[in-house]
Amino acid sequence: MTSPQRGHLADSHDRIRVQGARENNLKDVSVELPKRRLTVFTGVSGSGKSSLVFGTIAAESQRMINETYSAFVQGFMPTLARPEVDLLEGLTTAIIVDQERMGANPRSTVGTATDANAMLRILYSRLGQPHVGPPTAFSFNVPTRKASGVMSTEKSGGRVERKAVKEAVYLGGMCPRCEGMGNVSDIDLTVLYDEEKSLNEGAITIPGYSMDGWYGRIFRGCGFFDPDKPIKKFTKKQLDDLLYKEATKIKVEGINLTYLGLVPQMQKSMLSKDVEALQPHIRAFVERAVTFQRCPECDGTRLAPEARSSKIAGKSIADLCTMQISDLAGWIRDLDEPSVAPLLTGLQHLLDSFTEIGLGYLSLDRPAGTLSGGEAQRTKMIRHLGSSLTDVTYVFDEPTIGLHPHDIERMNQLLLQLRDKGNTVLVVEHKPETIAIADHIVDLGPGAGTGGGTVCFEGDLEGLRSSGTITGRHLDDRARLKDELRSAAGVLEVRGAGANNLRDVDVDIPLGVLCVVTGVAGSGKSSLIHGSIAGRDGVVVIDQGAIKGSRRSNPATYSGLLDPIRKAFAKANGVKPALFSANSEGACPTCNGAGVIFTELGVMATVESVCEECEGRRFQAAVLEYTFGGRNIAEVLAMSVTEAEGFFSSDGAATPAAHKILARLEDVGLGYVSLGQPLTTLSGGERQRLKLAAQMAEKGDVYILDEPTTGLHLADVQNLLAMLDRLVDSGRSVVVIEHHQAVMAHADWIVDLGPGAGHDGGTVVFEGTPAELVKARTTLTGQHLAAYVGA
C-alpha cells in the first residue's frame, strides 16, 4: 500500500522566485517572495526597489500576459522587452497601481476616470424628469449633432433603398459655448505680435513661431499679406487672415501646406491641453496671453441647458457632480428606485470606496490632472477594492504618499484586506508604519545607484531592526523638537482665501523661517498655498509635477549642466559646442546619439542592442578625441555627480558655472547619480530631487515645496532638512506643505488646517510653534506629532 499523499502538488507553488535579476543597477539579485502575503520592499532612494518590483517582476508578468493574445491584438499593445533576469518562477497576474498622474487631459475628471459619471448618466436617462434623451445627452464630452439629407440602405439583390430624412438629431450634453471645458478663454492679441514690426522683422512673439522655419515659409508664401509690411498697416482683411483664417490648403515652393490663423493655431496646439502640462516657457506665454474665466452659459458645469434641466429628487446631474463624494454617497443611499436597483448598488459601492480609501472629500467634477500623485494612486485603487479576482499580485508604489499620519492606518487596512482575499501584495515603501504590517520585508542597498542593487536583508520586522542595515538603524528614528527657533522677519498676508473648500481664511505666513503647512489630506493645504501665495512676485514653486523627458534626457541636460560643459570643451579645443551634444552634430551616425540600436520585430518585443560603432558612448569617434582636463565628453558624462564636482573645481578643469549646478545636485543627495544616466532609469524620489535641484537655480525670495519627502528614505530626510536649513540661513523663506512628522518637528512655525477633509476642513485650526502644537494636542496633527516625538 502507498502512503497517503501529504498535501496537493499544486500547493507547493507558494513562492515567487527571482534569480539573477540585473535590471538597471541590480547586481544579480535573487529573492524568494511568499505568495498570498504582504511583502514590503524598502531601502534608500535609488537602491533598486522599483527595478526589482516594477522593472522585473511586474514587467515580466505583464509581458507574458500580453503574449497570450493573438498577433493581431499584440500589434495594438505596447511591446515589452524581457527583463534582464536569469529565472522567474511562480508569477501570477500583476496589477500595477502606481503614482503616474492620471493624464493632463482637461476633459478628464474624477467622475469620468472612475466610471461614476457613466453610471450617473444612465441613471438620469432612466429616471430624470423631464426626460431629455439617452445617456449621451448627459455627457459633456459629446456635442449635439444634427443631420439632414438622404439615408441609403442596401437591400438584397443589390437594391438600394433611399429615404429622405428631414432632420436626424444625435443628442449630446456638451455646452456649446465652452465645448465641455467649463471655462472660456480670451486672448490678448497685443501679446501675440508687435504691430510696429513686419513679419520678416520678427513681429510674431508666440514661442516656436520663428520666420526661419516652416512658419516663415508659410507666411511668406501664402499670399494673404505682405510679410515686409508692419502689421499696424495691414488692412482689416489682412489682419483677419493673419489672426483668424480657418484651415486653408496652399502651395509653397511646390509643397502642399495648410495655412491656419494664429488664434485657431494656438487653440489647437496650446489651449486644447492642460496648462500645467505645457513646457515652462510655453506655459508662461499662455498665462500672459490668455485669460481663463468660468463659462457664463453653463456656469462651469460643462453641460448644455437641456442636461441641467432634467432632475431626480430636485437635483440635476451637474448638482451631483459638484457635491462632495461622501455627501453624494448618502444622497444615492436615500434614493429608493427598484427599477434601477442593480445600478444604484454598483454606484453606491463605488462612492463608498472613495470614502473608505480617504478620498471622500473629492467631487466628481474635479479635473483628474489636479490630483496629486497619492490621490491618483488611491483613485486607481478603487476599482480593485470590490474585485472578485483572487490570487493576483497587486503592486503598489508608495501608497502612503500624500497621506497624513491619521490616514496611513486606513491605507494599511486596505492593503491587508487585499492580502486577506488571497492575493499577493508587493509594496515599495519608506514609511515605518507600513513596513511594520509586512509579513515579509526585502531591504535593498546598501547605498544608491552603483552603490546599491543588492539585497541587504530578507525577513520579518524584528529581524530588520537588528540587521544593522541603513533601514534597520533608522526604522525607529524619532525627531526631536528644536531648542532654538528662528524669528520671523515679516509676514505674507493671506486674507479671505476661498479657493475650493477654504472658508474665508485669514492667515499670516512668516518670512525668513521654515514654515510647515500641514493637515489631513483634503483639508485645504494646497488650495491655501497654491491659490493665495504661489502667483506672487519672488515666489518659486517646486511641486509634485512629473518630470518631462525621454530616454535621451539625463541629469546633465535637465539641470542645464550640459551647456557650460559643452562651452568649456568647445573653448578648450577651438570647435563648436554643438559637437559635444549627442542630440546634435556630435551624435554617432549609426545610432543617432542614442547609444543603442532598436530592432523592431513586429509583434515580438523590440530588441535593444548596444551600438557597435560608438560602443554605447553616443558620440562620433572624432568628437571623443577632443579632451578637457584630460577627459573626453563621454568620460565626463559617465562620472557621478560627486566625481564631477571634484573634476570641475580642480586645476586645469575649473568651470564655476558647472560646479555651481553640481553643488546643488550634491545638496539634494544625488551625488551617486551619473551625469549621463537616462531620466527613464531614475526612481520617483530621484526625479523629485532632480527637479528640486534644477528649480533651486531660480532667483526667488520665497520657496514653496510641495511634499519634498516624497520617495525619500528615512535616512535621506535628514539630508533634506539640512538643505532646507541652508536655504533659510541664506536669507530665503521656505514654506513646506508636508505630512512627515520629522519635517514638522524641525519647523520654526506650523500652520495646521482642518479639522477634517473637504467641507469638514478649510479652516486654520492651529498656528504656532511645534512645541505649542504638541503641548495643546487639540488637533489630529498635534496628537500624532506628540506621539512621534515621544512627548
Side-chain angles (χ1 to χ4, degrees):
M1 290 180 65
T2 58
S3 59
Q5 186 178 356
R6 292 186 179 180
H8 197 284
L9 182 62
D11 296 333
S12 64
H13 299 282
D14 58 351
R15 299 254 159 189
I16 296 175
R17 292 181 177 84
V18 181
Q19 286 183 16
R22 294 178 299 279
E23 197 69 19
N24 296 328
N25 68 330
L26 295 178
K27 297 171 182 172
D28 216 28
V29 166
S30 297
V31 289
E32 289 196 6
L33 310 174
K35 287 186 183 176
R36 302 172 202 89
R37 297 291 185 271
L38 173 62
T39 300
V40 170
F41 295 79
T42 188
V44 297
S45 181
S47 59
K49 304 182 297 298
S50 296
S51 298
L52 178 58
V53 180
F54 291 95
T56 304
I57 299 171
E60 179 66 356
S61 172
Q62 293 209 316
R63 188 186 72 84
M64 294 179 82
I65 290 167
N66 288 358
E67 285 187 350
T68 64
Y69 298 113
S70 67
F72 174 76
V73 173
Q74 286 185 54
F76 296 97
M77 303 173 84
T79 53
L80 302 171
R82 189 182 186 282
E84 280 282 315
V85 61
D86 292 336
L87 179 68
L88 275 170
E89 283 184 342
L91 291 180
T92 65
T93 305
I95 296 176
I96 297 175
V97 190
D98 58 19
Q99 292 174 46
E100 286 297 316
R101 295 296 179 104
M102 296 181 73
N105 187 330
R107 294 188 180 280
S108 180
T109 65
V110 169
T112 60
T114 58
D115 298 336
N117 266 37
M119 292 181 178
L120 284 177
R121 291 198 297 269
I122 297 170
L123 185 67
Y124 270 81
S125 70
R126 301 287 189 276
L127 303 180
Q129 292 297 328
H131 179 74
V132 297
T136 55
F138 298 94
S139 171
F140 54 75
N141 286 326
V142 180
T144 294
R145 293 184 174 92
K146 296 180 181 179
S148 61
V150 177
M151 183 184 291
S152 300
T153 308
E154 290 191 12
K155 298 282 189 178
S156 62
R159 290 183 304 112
V160 177
E161 182 181 278
R162 290 183 173 83
K163 188 177 179 181
V165 179
K166 188 176 181 182
E167 187 177 64
V169 179
Y170 302 92
L171 282 173
M174 178 186 288
C175 168
R177 171 74 191 277
C178 64
E179 297 185 353
M181 303 293 280
N183 54 43
V184 289
S185 56
D186 287 324
I187 297 175
D188 181 358
L189 299 179
T190 61
V191 181
L192 307 189
Y193 60 83
D194 181 350
E195 65 173 11
E196 299 294 329
K197 296 180 179 178
S198 69
L199 292 173
N200 278 335
E201 289 171 338
I204 307 297
T205 53
I206 305 171
Y209 285 60
S210 164
M211 292 297 286
D212 298 330
W214 277 106
Y215 284 111
R217 200 178 268 194
I218 291 170
F219 288 141
R220 289 191 194 98
C222 66
F224 301 135
F225 34 70
D226 182 357
D228 290 315
K229 185 199 288 187
I231 291 181
K232 69 178 180 181
K233 293 184 179 178
F234 275 21
T235 64
K236 191 174 180 182
K237 172 77 168 64
Q238 288 172 334
L239 188 59
D240 189 73
D241 284 345
L242 173 68
L243 295 175
Y244 301 109
K245 196 171 186 70
E246 291 300 319
T248 307
K249 297 290 183 186
I250 61 172
K251 200 160 202 169
V252 180
E253 300 170 17
I255 301 171
N256 291 321
L257 297 170
T258 300
Y259 176 86
L260 191 61
L262 292 180
V263 172
Q265 184 74 43
M266 270 187 66
Q267 294 276 3
K268 181 181 173 184
S269 64
M270 297 179 187
L271 303 187
S272 62
K273 299 172 184 171
D274 182 29
V275 179
E276 297 300 317
L278 298 173
Q279 290 176 293
H281 69 289
I282 295 178
R283 181 169 63 191
F285 170 78
V286 169
E287 287 170 348
R288 271 199 327 273
V290 185
T291 55
F292 295 94
Q293 62 184 38
R294 187 182 285 247
C295 175
E297 288 192 15
C298 66
D299 196 28
T301 61
R302 307 170 180 235
L303 291 164
E306 295 80 8
R308 287 179 280 131
S309 67
S310 181
K311 297 188 177 181
I312 300 174
K315 298 276 188 186
S316 70
I317 190 170
D319 295 330
L320 298 192
C321 288
T322 56
M323 289 172 71
Q324 187 167 306
I325 288 175
S326 55
D327 295 341
L328 176 58
W331 188 86
I332 294 290
R333 195 175 284 111
D334 295 337
L335 206 59
D336 185 20
E337 288 290 342
S339 61
V340 288
L343 178 65
L344 289 175
T345 302
L347 186 55
Q348 184 68 58
H349 179 267
L350 177 64
L351 297 174
D352 285 342
S353 295
F354 270 101
T355 307
E356 190 180 342
I357 210 164
L359 293 177
Y361 59 87
L362 296 177
S363 59
L364 295 182
D365 65 355
R366 169 88 174 261
T370 65
L371 298 180
S372 68
E375 287 171 333
Q377 185 173 25
R378 282 178 282 153
T379 301
K380 292 175 199 169
M381 264 186 87
I382 285 168
R383 67 175 64 243
H384 304 302
L385 292 181
S387 172
S388 301
L389 289 172
T390 60
D391 245 333
V392 297
T393 299
Y394 286 98
V395 186
F396 292 95
D397 187 8
E398 295 187 51
T400 61
I401 278 181
L403 287 184
H404 187 272
H406 172 69
D407 299 316
I408 290 177
E409 177 60 31
R410 181 184 286 169
M411 175 58 71
N412 285 348
Q413 290 306 315
L414 293 172
L415 295 174
L416 292 173
Q417 277 177 33
L418 284 173
R419 177 202 66 184
D420 294 344
K421 281 170 64 177
N423 298 307
T424 305
V425 182
L426 308 181
V427 183
V428 174
E429 189 54 84
H430 293 296
K431 292 281 174 64
E433 297 95 326
T434 303
I435 296 173
I437 65 164
D439 301 304
H440 189 70
I441 298 168
V442 178
D443 187 20
L444 283 99
T450 54
T454 60
V455 174
C456 299
F457 170 80
E458 221 184 324
D460 60 10
L461 183 66
E462 289 309 312
L464 178 63
R465 275 204 175 94
S466 57
S467 65
T469 66
I470 293 177
T471 306
R473 292 199 304 271
H474 288 273
L475 195 60
D476 295 314
D477 273 4
R478 293 294 179 265
R480 63 186 191 85
L481 301 175
K482 287 198 299 191
D483 297 324
E484 295 182 16
L485 300 178
R486 303 177 184 92
S487 299
V491 294
L492 275 176
E493 291 186 357
V494 176
R495 296 291 179 265
N500 298 327
N501 67 328
L502 295 177
R503 301 184 197 172
D504 201 28
V505 168
D506 294 340
V507 66
D508 291 334
I509 304 294
L511 296 174
V513 300
L514 175 59
C515 174
V516 171
V517 180
T518 187
V520 296
S523 59
K525 304 181 298 297
S526 296
S527 299
L528 176 66
I529 300 303
H530 292 295
S532 302
I533 297 177
R536 303 188 188 188
D537 289 339
V539 175
V540 176
V541 180
I542 303 168
D543 61 17
Q544 295 183 52
I547 276 185
K548 306 288 189 301
S550 66
R551 195 190 184 287
R552 287 180 174 273
S553 303
N554 53 50
T557 58
Y558 184 84
S559 64
L561 174 65
L562 197 56
D563 287 336
I565 291 178
R566 284 202 311 248
K567 287 173 184 173
F569 267 89
K571 188 177 178 182
N573 295 282
V575 292
K576 289 193 296 185
L579 280 176
F580 302 99
S581 169
N583 297 324
S584 188
E585 293 180 26
C588 165
T590 305
C591 63
N592 294 322
V596 291
I597 304 288
F598 296 99
T599 308
E600 300 284 347
L601 296 176
V603 297
M604 295 172 68
T606 300
V607 175
E608 180 182 312
S609 54
V610 175
C611 174
E612 291 183 5
E613 182 164 332
C614 68
E615 296 179 341
R617 288 177 294 194
R618 305 175 65 190
F619 293 92
Q620 300 172 19
V623 173
L624 298 179
E625 291 177 10
Y626 298 117
T627 61
F628 175 69
R631 303 283 187 103
N632 64 36
I633 185 69
E635 289 170 337
V636 167
L637 290 177
M639 291 180 181
S640 69
V641 167
T642 304
E643 189 183 349
E645 190 182 11
F647 175 75
F648 285 107
S649 62
S650 62
D651 294 339
T655 311
H659 186 264
K660 194 173 179 181
I661 296 171
L662 287 162
R664 285 200 304 272
L665 292 169
E666 182 78 41
D667 266 356
V668 296
L670 292 177
Y672 59 87
V673 173
S674 64
L675 305 184
Q677 186 175 339
L679 282 191
T680 51
T681 65
L682 296 183
S683 70
E686 287 167 336
R687 291 185 206 182
Q688 171 94 345
R689 282 180 284 158
L690 179 59
K691 185 176 183 181
L692 188 63
Q695 297 209 18
M696 286 295 181
E698 294 189 31
K699 294 287 182 279
D701 302 316
V702 179
Y703 284 88
I704 294 174
L705 285 76
D706 194 347
E707 297 188 39
T709 60
T710 297
L712 283 188
H713 186 266
L714 302 161
D716 295 325
V717 173
Q718 297 304 319
N719 298 333
L720 175 74
L721 293 176
M723 189 195 70
L724 296 181
D725 279 340
R726 285 196 295 275
L727 262 181
V728 177
D729 293 339
S730 69
R732 306 308 201 321
S733 303
V734 178
V735 180
V736 182
I737 302 170
E738 188 55 82
H739 294 296
H740 202 295
Q741 296 102 315
V743 180
M744 294 182 211
H746 199 74
D748 298 304
W749 192 260
I750 286 184
V751 176
D752 190 15
L753 279 89
H759 59 46
D760 296 325
T763 60
V764 175
V765 292
F766 176 82
E767 287 179 82
T769 65
E772 290 166 351
L773 178 62
V774 167
K775 187 176 179 183
R777 301 192 195 200
T778 52
T779 69
L780 285 169
T781 304
Q783 293 161 18
H784 282 279
L785 184 58
Y788 185 81
V789 299

